[in-house]
Amino acid sequence: MLHLGALGEADAMVKSDAAVPVALVQATKAFGGTIALKDASFELRSGEVLALLGENGAGKSTCVKLLAGVYLPTGGHVEVDGKPVVFHSPHDAQAAGISVMHQHPGLFPDLSVAENIYLGHMPRDRFGGIDNAAMLAGARRVLATVGLDVPAETRLGMLRTSEQQLVEIARALSLDARVLIMDEPTAALSQREVERLFTVVADLRLHGVAMMFVGHRMDEIFRIADRIAVLRDGRLIGVKPKAELGRAAAIGMMVGREVTDLYPQRSHATGALVLEARGLSHAGGFSNIDLKLHASEVLGLGGLVGSGRTEIARVLFGIDQPDAGEILIDGEAVRFASARDAMDARIAYVSEDRMGQSLVMDFSILDNAVLPVLDKAARSGFYGTNRAINLVSDWLKRMKLRFSGYAQPVKELSGGNQQKVVLAKWLLTEPRVLILDEPTQGIDVGTKAEVHAMVADLAAQGMAIILISSEMPELIGMCDRIIVLREGHRTAEFARGEATQEKVLEAATKAGESADAAQATGEEKRKGPLDILKRREFGLLAAMLAVAIPVTIINPRMVSAANLTAVSMDAALLVVAALAQMLVLITRNIDLSIAAVIGLSAYMAASMVQAYPGLDIGIGLITACAVGGVAGLINGLVVTRGKIPAIVVTLASMSIFRGFNSIWAAGDQISADEVTQAWLDMTGLKIAGVPLIVVIAIVILCLGYVLLYRTAIGRELFAAGSNPDGARLIGIPVDRRILLAFGMAGLLGGLCGALWASRYATIDARVALGFELTVIASAVVGGVAIRGGSGTLLGIILGALTLLVIKNGLTLVRVDPLWLQGVYGLVILVAIGIDTFIVRRAEQARQARAR
């Protein structure tokens, strides 16, 4: 692999005769009446890096998505090897040899690192299933290329943000593409990780890969680019060789004006001591930190990602509690039990995670901006839109926010404008202390200059500011003092004028630190998911034993052969239904109609067996599966085509299916003597002492395992629930996968109905009434996440068994039937609460490791 020195000027010469594997030609993209890109033309050449510059909202991401097949151009076209093409999906672009690292990684926290890298193009074995050995070997190879030392089997959600960005890079490299498009690839990376990426880029350049690099950091742009294309307001201003375009000229082309003061001059004196920390410590984050912050001062916190900077900010804002030390405001010790206490002390914190922690992406600009001061907009408890607008309008104007109206969803704004909403939101609280964590990450140079000017102005007015940044030019250019951290310890402090990039970097790094830390982190990541799984399984087993042992002492029938057989047959039915629910839940949906589908299928199957006794088993199974499959597809079509939440759709269909069943049955009941004995024996027959219904359930579970864990479609079901937008970015047909999940769930519900009709013999319109609660609880207690993307077959088996053992135990100790359902529901609620607590603790542990 080529050393970074190969990125010098000699190798950055424009190769006019280079091949052009892909180009945009007069490309226009409009969204409704808004034109995002107008008549843009540029080409990507083999062995070169084209840098794409522009302010937030200038059209850069639109260009990326046109080349990636996410968008179809409204006008113009994409050319591949000089010929016009139409990309209908990201798969089409990948087939043309185009690989993309998107600005917001399309990754899946519930899947493994290897699966994230190969999802959408998984290697197959000779049977058409996933070739896990080949996938893991390939993942290890590309992980080594990008310098990420984690096991390929690690669940992605266990990794830090910067590590996840490296996985996104590894994913792009796994495609062996001839075109690589990088959209803000360095935003979340440390300096060391950036260096590694640039080494990879240098090697790809030698191998003739055409690359496009979208970014905001001018140092990186002028270091890596051969040519620079500049967009402004959706139009291409020009494309020039790097050697012909200076930084000032590039910035001027971007913003349409000269930007001379990226870091404004500041000459005012600092004021009184406002905030002080003495010996502050937080386990796993930092230790024995002393700092002082004065009015009118900008104090910088520097260090590598994971050095403890964000952890200090979270403790100062009351999100986390210190293990030792104290915080003083105006010389008096204070204790913040929550962020609200810190806000009452007039402290504000702008998180580095703009999308995850600072904004509610589905809310409007107004609703986001007014959140911290909602009480002022809701006098006497009544919210007033006009009062809210009056509160936020001044700051939004001062931020020069570009927006169509206060009701515009914040997710429709560019990254820079989203950051302006975040800043305005916290400045509305009129803080004395403002903590800014990576305030200019992912925003363009023009907006950066505006943010820097605002910070300087706030400091001049007396505000005390803590600035956390991974960009050393920003720290040096903006801060009066810089405190440098390494592995949670304070290592240096520099006054304004003393700090240089070399000094700060030297204080922030340490030779030999990575090996031990990486090993410890790797061990932690290897243990994490297994520990969580063991705890959940252990909890479910413990719950079963806690009921079974005392009940057996009171009533030995608990362990009798007859009782165990009955419980196993009930469990078989419940597990099949729980698997159906799991298929829907992992896609981030829910099916409240599952019990109604079972009931309708059971009655229709029994009716057909009654009407056609000569075809008994065949006609019964076909009818039940057909009814269930159609019901599931109806649910799925309304959810995917109608874009109506699944909880609403299936709540309605539950009533519709129940109503239709009642009308069809007309109060009639089908009893055991009205169907054939073969139909009744279908589930009661024993094979080697095991009821056939249990054997059928085991076969279905085995097929479910193959589908979910051994096929690409199964992993795509998990991906569709884990990150729907990310799945769409890499070409997974999310709606079709959701429709498939509902269809298979309906099919399983229909089969369960047929088994139910055979097992219980007497069937009427009330079959499985209220059973949906038990089915959903079995899945959730077993670890299937309501949020989607996560769940195991072993979990739903244990969840179903736990609930049935509890119910069976309560029955055997002769709990009054009037109390049985209440006690059962309470136990379900407690079980789900415990499971939620375990998941929450695991997530907190993950966040602690990730910070």
Side-chain angles (χ1 to χ4, degrees):
M1 189 168 286
L2 191 61
H3 189 269
L4 278 172
L7 288 172
E9 288 293 330
D11 291 307
M13 297 295 291
V14 175
K15 306 175 183 65
S16 59
D17 59 344
V20 180
V22 69
L24 277 183
V25 179
Q26 297 296 306
T28 296
K29 182 61 182 177
F31 298 93
T34 303
I35 297 178
L37 189 69
K38 179 71 172 176
D39 296 331
S41 298
F42 58 79
E43 59 189 28
L44 304 186
R45 301 172 182 170
S46 297
E48 286 189 6
V49 178
L50 173 72
L52 190 61
L53 287 180
E55 293 188 274
N56 290 107
K60 304 186 301 298
S61 290
T62 302
C63 290
V64 170
K65 290 178 178 178
L66 288 172
L67 292 171
V70 178
Y71 294 157
L72 281 171
T74 308
H77 60 269
V78 177
E79 285 187 357
V80 173
D81 295 325
K83 298 178 181 178
V85 297
V86 177
F87 293 151
H88 295 287
S89 73
H91 271 311
D92 292 345
Q94 290 175 17
I98 300 172
S99 179
V100 183
M101 304 176 196
H102 289 283
Q103 180 177 1
H104 302 297
L107 299 175
F108 310 95
D110 300 295
L111 302 185
S112 71
V113 169
E115 288 173 325
N116 271 274
I117 291 172
Y118 280 100
L119 200 66
H121 60 286
M122 288 181 164
R124 308 295 177 89
D125 59 22
R126 58 180 177 173
F127 302 109
I130 299 170
D131 188 339
N132 279 308
M135 182 172 66
L136 290 171
R140 293 185 186 110
R141 185 179 66 253
V142 291
L143 288 173
T145 300
V146 301
L148 181 56
D149 183 19
V150 299
E153 303 89 343
T154 304
R155 187 173 67 87
L156 184 94
M158 302 299 295
L159 304 187
R160 299 196 310 267
T161 302
S162 62
E163 292 173 326
Q164 292 185 21
Q165 184 66 60
L166 289 175
V167 173
E168 175 81 357
I169 295 169
R171 171 183 167 75
L173 297 179
S174 72
L175 292 167
D176 292 327
R178 58 190 186 129
V179 177
L180 177 61
I181 299 173
M182 298 167 278
D183 192 359
E184 299 280 4
T186 64
L189 301 185
S190 68
Q191 188 61 38
R192 184 177 302 164
E193 292 161 339
V194 170
E195 296 293 334
R196 183 69 182 181
L197 172 61
F198 283 4
T199 303
V200 173
V201 169
D203 187 56
L204 294 175
R205 180 190 268 117
L206 282 181
H207 286 84
V209 176
M211 289 170 279
M212 185 169 81
F213 185 94
V214 181
H216 292 304
R217 298 175 179 174
M218 302 302 289
D219 289 344
E220 294 176 358
I221 293 294
F222 277 86
R223 180 178 171 186
I224 200 172
D226 298 298
R227 293 176 298 131
I228 297 175
V230 181
L231 291 169
R232 185 172 74 236
D233 297 329
R235 293 181 178 272
L236 184 68
I237 303 302
V239 182
K240 294 187 178 181
K242 176 179 66 176
E244 297 179 10
L245 190 65
R247 299 190 187 197
I251 294 172
M253 290 172 68
M254 284 172 55
V255 302
R257 65 185 188 279
E258 186 177 1
V259 179
T260 56
D261 295 320
L262 186 58
Y263 305 110
Q265 296 294 321
R266 299 175 51 244
S267 58
H268 59 270
T270 58
L273 181 65
V274 176
L275 181 146
E276 183 178 3
R278 296 177 182 171
L280 208 60
S281 299
H282 180 66
F286 57 89
S287 178
N288 197 30
I289 297 297
D290 295 329
L291 63 81
K292 294 182 179 181
L293 178 66
H294 299 80
S296 298
E297 180 181 33
V298 180
L299 173 65
L301 294 184
L304 301 178
V305 174
S307 61
R309 304 169 305 172
T310 296
E311 289 84 346
I312 292 173
R314 289 171 62 89
V315 168
L316 292 177
F317 191 59
I319 299 173
D320 298 325
Q321 303 305 309
D323 299 314
E326 59 180 351
I327 301 171
L328 297 90
I329 301 291
D330 295 328
E332 295 185 6
V334 296
R335 182 172 182 81
F336 299 143
S338 67
R340 171 52 60 184
D341 292 343
M343 291 170 63
D344 291 341
R346 296 180 62 193
I347 299 176
Y349 170 50
V350 176
S351 167
E352 64 176 336
D353 186 1
R354 179 170 63 234
M355 298 179 68
Q357 298 181 14
S358 295
L359 294 171
V360 183
M361 302 305 291
D362 291 325
F363 278 21
S364 68
I365 293 171
L366 178 62
D367 290 341
N368 271 282
V370 82
L371 273 177
V373 291
L374 198 56
D375 56 332
K376 296 181 181 178
R379 294 175 185 171
S380 303
F382 293 97
Y383 177 79
T385 301
N386 290 333
R387 280 197 299 272
I389 291 174
N390 290 334
L391 284 170
V392 306
S393 60
D394 183 54
W395 269 113
L396 292 179
K397 287 177 182 176
R398 291 172 66 179
M399 291 288 174
K400 300 178 182 177
L401 183 71
R402 298 178 182 177
F403 66 112
S404 60
Y406 292 106
Q408 182 181 5
V410 77
K411 65 183 178 183
E412 294 181 359
L413 300 178
S414 65
N417 283 307
Q418 288 176 355
Q419 189 70 346
K420 289 178 179 180
V421 174
V422 175
L423 292 168
K425 159 184 155 180
W426 285 110
L427 291 172
L428 281 169
T429 65
E430 300 179 353
R432 295 178 62 203
V433 176
L434 178 62
I435 305 172
L436 300 172
D437 195 350
E438 303 286 5
T440 62
Q441 179 175 283
I443 64 176
D444 59 76
V445 66
T447 306
K448 277 186 181 180
E450 294 173 2
V451 171
H452 292 157
M454 180 207 69
V455 170
D457 184 53
L458 292 172
Q461 295 175 33
M463 190 177 295
I465 299 172
I466 294 177
L467 175 63
I468 300 171
S469 178
S470 296
E471 295 188 44
M472 282 186 281
E474 183 172 65
L475 281 177
I476 294 168
M478 289 298 302
C479 298
D480 299 295
R481 287 184 297 124
I482 300 173
I483 293 175
V484 184
L485 302 168
R486 182 180 66 224
E487 296 179 350
H489 297 278
R490 174 174 167 157
T491 58
E493 180 177 328
F494 300 101
R496 188 178 183 89
E498 295 178 356
T500 65
Q501 293 196 39
E502 292 76 14
K503 288 181 180 180
V504 173
L505 186 59
E506 181 181 359
T509 58
K510 178 182 179 181
E513 66 176 343
S514 59
D516 293 339
Q519 183 177 359
T521 304
E523 290 297 325
E524 206 170 37
K525 289 166 187 167
R526 278 188 285 270
K527 291 179 182 179
L530 292 177
D531 283 350
I532 295 170
L533 183 59
K534 289 175 182 176
R535 288 171 60 185
R536 177 177 290 120
E537 290 180 344
F538 177 79
L540 294 173
L541 289 170
M544 282 189 276
L545 291 174
V547 172
I549 292 174
V551 170
T552 301
I553 294 172
I554 297 171
N555 189 343
R557 284 182 56 202
M558 181 78 178
V559 293
S560 67
N563 188 61
L564 292 177
T565 299
V567 170
S568 68
M569 295 176 74
D570 288 344
L573 283 174
L574 181 54
V575 165
V576 172
L579 174 58
Q581 191 66 237
M582 176 183 173
L583 289 170
V584 175
L585 285 173
I586 61 175
T587 64
R588 200 175 286 194
N589 290 281
I590 194 169
D591 187 0
L592 298 178
S593 70
I594 182 66
V597 171
I598 292 172
L600 179 60
S601 302
Y603 193 86
M604 296 293 285
S607 297
M608 294 301 288
V609 172
Q610 181 188 36
Y612 302 96
L615 301 174
D616 49 19
I617 294 178
I619 194 70
L621 287 174
I622 291 172
T623 300
C625 291
V627 170
V630 169
L633 288 174
I634 290 172
N635 282 334
L637 285 170
V638 177
V639 169
T640 55
R641 300 292 176 85
K643 304 301 179 185
I644 302 173
I647 192 171
V648 175
V649 173
T650 58
L651 182 62
S653 64
M654 175 179 70
S655 299
I656 293 171
F657 298 154
R658 283 287 181 196
F660 179 80
N661 200 13
S662 297
I663 294 171
W664 183 272
D668 190 23
Q669 185 182 73
I670 301 174
S671 61
D673 57 1
E674 296 179 272
V675 294
T676 66
Q677 188 61 41
W679 173 253
L680 299 177
D681 290 342
M682 181 177 68
T683 53
L685 185 68
K686 290 189 177 181
I687 300 176
V690 179
L692 182 58
I693 190 173
V694 176
V695 175
I696 293 172
I698 292 172
V699 171
I700 291 171
L701 286 171
C702 290
L703 293 174
Y705 172 81
V706 172
L707 170 69
L708 291 174
Y709 299 100
R710 299 295 300 167
T711 70
I713 287 178
R715 305 317 290 161
E716 289 175 359
L717 288 173
F718 282 96
S722 184
N723 182 356
D725 293 335
R728 290 186 176 93
L729 280 179
I730 63 172
I732 293 175
V734 173
D735 286 348
R736 292 212 298 269
R737 294 295 174 261
I738 293 173
L739 180 60
L740 176 65
F742 273 103
M744 289 190 298
L747 186 65
L748 286 174
L751 178 59
C752 189
L755 297 176
W756 191 298
S758 173
R759 162 92 167 97
Y760 295 113
T762 301
I763 301 298
D764 59 23
R766 295 173 298 171
V767 165
L769 188 64
F771 191 54
E772 58 276 339
L773 173 63
T774 307
V775 173
I776 294 170
S778 297
V780 175
V781 170
V784 182
I786 292 289
R787 60 174 173 76
S790 178
T792 65
L793 292 179
L794 180 58
I796 64 170
I797 293 170
L798 290 174
L801 286 174
T802 300
L803 297 183
L804 287 177
V805 166
I806 292 171
K807 182 179 180 180
N808 185 248
L810 293 175
T811 303
L812 289 174
V813 295
R814 298 184 179 181
V815 172
D816 190 326
L818 295 176
W819 288 95
L820 181 58
Q821 287 299 317
V823 173
Y824 188 30
L826 181 62
V827 171
I828 292 173
L829 182 62
V830 171
I832 294 175
I834 292 172
D835 188 71
T836 303
F837 174 75
I838 290 173
V839 172
R840 186 183 300 121
R841 288 292 299 272
E843 178 63 16
Q844 290 171 350
R846 185 204 67 80
Q847 291 177 355
R849 285 189 292 269
R851 290 197 296 269

